[in-house]
Amino acid sequence: VEERLATATKRWEEIQGMNSVEYLQLCDEAYAAHSKKLGAAASAGTDMHSVMENYVKHCINKNEGKPDPTYKLLAVGHEADKVKLQILIDWSVTKVKRFIWSEVYCYSKTLWIGGISDVGYEDVDGKFAILDFKYSKEVYKSQFWQGVAYAIEVEESGGLDEDGSLQFIMDSQK
């Protein structure tokens, strides 16, 4: 805290000596740097999401939903993508009985919310769960609530495709 405070105090004093044009330029530079970092993170997150989604879709379409320990990332991709994909594969082989869906639309008329759920699966104990791919290193409370919302939505509406056609309903809806 002391180191950071010393640096922050020095920078604050510099900012106080700026005129409004200089300060605006500093703000623009900070915003541009932040925006560039966000853009790079979003792009990396989208790429990683696609890699994970392709694995789940492969399991559903080619392996009756069962995890496939032999799946390999075919595209050249980043080495980090391969490592993270292998983590998902290893986890799914030991924890997932079958993947049920990938990328389904869902909603709740009761709560007036909707979204697109990344993955639904049945675990090895026969319990149903929702998995949402995240690129952040930290876990946020909002991510937990997002999973809760998807569970409510899928329970209420089932899973729909992008055109709104019903793809499945949960056993509890039957």
Side-chain angles (χ1 to χ4, degrees):
V1 171
E2 288 180 22
E3 281 182 39
R4 292 176 52 232
L5 187 56
T7 302
T9 302
K10 182 179 177 186
R11 192 64 176 143
W12 181 56
E13 290 168 355
E14 290 173 17
I15 290 170
Q16 287 180 315
M18 294 179 176
N19 63 39
S20 56
V21 173
E22 292 170 328
Y23 179 69
L24 179 61
Q25 183 178 358
L26 177 67
C27 290
D28 288 345
E29 289 170 9
Y31 179 78
H34 176 71
S35 180
K36 184 177 179 180
K37 184 176 179 182
L38 277 180
S43 176
T46 301
D47 294 346
M48 192 69 248
H49 187 281
S50 179
V51 167
M52 303 291 194
E53 179 185 343
N54 289 340
Y55 168 69
V56 173
K57 285 186 184 299
H58 161 82
C59 293
I60 292 169
N61 296 328
K62 307 281 187 197
N63 206 35
E64 300 173 339
K66 297 175 191 150
D68 183 355
T70 66
Y71 183 84
K72 298 291 177 218
L73 182 60
L74 301 177
V76 173
H78 300 286
E79 194 59 36
D81 290 350
K82 293 177 185 176
V83 170
K84 290 175 184 174
L85 174 63
Q86 193 61 54
I87 291 168
L88 174 63
I89 293 170
D90 293 346
W91 170 83
S92 68
V93 167
T94 61
K95 303 293 185 190
V96 175
K97 180 177 180 180
R98 66 183 172 108
F99 290 106
I100 303 168
W101 72 76
S102 174
E103 298 294 311
V104 298
Y105 292 70
C106 48
Y107 65 90
S108 168
K109 284 184 180 178
T110 307
L111 299 176
W112 200 250
I113 57 174
I116 304 171
S117 174
D118 289 346
V119 177
Y121 67 94
E122 181 182 4
D123 73 11
V124 293
D125 296 325
K127 295 178 183 168
F128 296 101
I130 291 178
L131 175 66
D132 199 68
F133 301 129
K134 298 296 182 195
Y135 192 72
S136 62
K137 293 178 182 178
E138 298 83 15
V139 176
Y140 299 102
K141 194 182 295 187
S142 62
Q143 294 168 340
F144 168 78
W145 290 117
Q146 182 182 16
V148 170
Y150 288 153
I152 292 167
E153 293 165 24
V154 169
E155 189 73 23
E156 187 177 319
S157 70
L160 302 101
D161 66 16
E162 62 186 12
D163 297 320
S165 299
L166 186 64
Q167 300 300 299
F168 66 86
I169 58 173
M170 298 302 292
D171 289 341
S172 62
Q173 295 168 295
K174 295 178 182 176

